[in-house]
Amino acid sequence: MPPDDDTNWDDVAAKYHQSKPLRWPSHYTADSYRKLVRRAVAFIASDTNEIDLLKTDVWEEGVETGIDVLTQLAGDRYRLHGIDISSVACTAAREHNGGIRVVQGDIRSLPFADASFDVVLDLSTLDHVTLGDARYAVAEYTRVLRQHGVLLLAFWCDTALLRLLLRLGGVRHRLLAIGGNQYYFPAKLVQGWLKEDSDIVEEFSIGSVLNFGFLVGISNTALVAVDRVLPKWLATVVVRLEHSPASKWLFSSFAGLRAIIAVKR
């Protein structure tokens, strides 16, 4: 994850890694993210034999290992790269998955040459920097992509309902409880940044179920109780709906995250 003025991401990664994972959100998020990744890589040119792929943080591959999204891409066709500001997350990712080339760095100034990758994946990394810095990060993603390269960008979206839920719940989410900063961006603003150099090919409103965690998140006991009760099949149904063609309109008013797939011109 990238740094900001208030967060020591090594401390956050260590605390999160030691905390007991919630069964249901992990299953739901993993299913959703893996579907997004499969949709994104489907836009790679069919004649590309070797694919260089960069994931902009390695929490899912190291700290939140139950949500590992790159395992499905293991094989000779993909050269997998990861970057994270946290040395703790980098070390954990290397230990968990030796197939990923992990470097420590900042998404606002990626330590890679222009046109280095066919795919860049950002699954809720961007929303841990301020709005001003987020634009620099998106520009960096575009810079390191090759022509016709694919960017998958998922970020927490600023909606009226989400602001209401944050006020009612009194806390934002588990990450914040252990020191991580979180920001929420207007979808139209991020779309505008992307359209400067890329064509948006798919867009989804996801994470709708996670919003309700804000309401019960004021009590960790309540959060754990809900986690035990909710069946996993419900997560599968919701994910299927969120990844349908009607997702952007059906869930846009209350989904927590916006997922955008763009192809560099």
Side-chain angles (χ1 to χ4, degrees):
M1 285 188 177
D4 53 53
D5 293 337
D6 304 314
T7 299
N8 182 323
W9 286 107
D10 278 341
D11 287 347
V12 175
K15 291 175 183 176
Y16 206 103
H17 193 52
Q18 294 166 6
S19 65
K20 185 177 181 180
L22 293 175
R23 173 187 60 88
W24 205 87
S26 294
H27 172 74
Y28 167 75
T29 304
D31 193 10
S32 182
Y33 281 180
R34 287 169 186 158
K35 282 182 180 292
L36 285 174
V37 171
R38 288 196 294 271
R39 296 187 82 105
V41 299
F43 286 97
I44 300 170
S46 58
D47 59 351
T48 306
N49 294 321
E50 293 184 327
I51 297 169
D52 287 298
L53 181 148
L54 173 67
K55 189 169 184 296
T56 60
D57 69 61
V58 290
W59 275 54
E60 288 87 7
E61 285 65 43
V63 178
E64 302 175 87
T65 53
I67 309 180
D68 184 346
V69 300
L70 294 187
T71 299
Q72 64 181 329
L73 301 179
D76 294 337
R77 190 183 184 204
Y78 290 93
R79 289 191 289 257
L80 303 178
H81 306 258
I83 185 169
D84 202 295
I85 197 64
S86 165
S87 62
V88 172
C90 289
T91 299
R94 293 187 189 105
E95 293 174 349
H96 178 66
N97 189 331
I100 304 176
R101 301 169 178 86
V102 180
V103 299
Q104 188 175 1
D106 186 339
I107 63 169
R108 296 169 295 189
S109 181
L110 294 172
F112 304 109
D114 296 356
S116 293
F117 301 100
D118 302 290
V119 185
V120 173
L121 307 178
D122 176 328
L123 299 173
S124 189
T125 309
L126 186 72
D127 46 39
H128 296 299
V129 298
T130 63
L131 183 62
D133 284 342
R135 178 156 194 170
Y136 290 111
V138 171
E140 281 291 274
Y141 297 165
T142 303
R143 179 184 67 78
V144 301
L145 272 175
R146 294 169 181 145
Q147 187 177 21
H148 307 308
V150 179
L151 170 63
L152 169 58
L153 184 61
F155 58 94
W156 279 93
C157 194
D158 184 13
T159 64
L161 180 60
L162 183 56
R163 289 194 296 270
L164 174 62
L165 291 174
L166 295 177
R167 287 197 297 270
L168 292 174
V171 297
R172 285 175 280 182
H173 59 51
R174 282 181 95 215
L175 181 65
L176 299 177
I178 51 178
N181 278 2
Q182 178 71 55
Y183 300 94
Y184 307 88
F185 303 142
K188 287 185 178 180
L189 187 62
V190 179
Q191 290 166 350
W193 299 341
L194 292 171
K195 288 177 180 177
E196 293 177 3
D197 300 288
S198 305
D199 295 315
I200 294 175
V201 293
E202 284 195 323
E203 193 167 347
F204 303 96
S205 296
I206 64 172
S208 54
V209 174
L210 299 178
N211 283 348
F212 296 100
F214 297 132
L215 289 174
V216 297
I218 195 168
S219 165
N220 191 61
T221 301
L223 195 60
V224 171
V226 170
D227 181 57
R228 290 174 178 170
V229 170
L230 290 173
K232 284 188 175 182
W233 63 261
L234 182 58
T236 303
V237 171
V238 174
V239 168
R240 186 176 296 120
L241 289 172
E242 289 182 339
H243 289 77
S244 70
S247 164
K248 193 173 76 169
W249 298 275
L250 186 63
F251 292 97
S252 61
S253 62
F254 60 90
L257 295 107
R258 183 64 60 92
I260 301 174
I261 301 174
V263 177
K264 183 177 176 179
R265 289 192 290 270

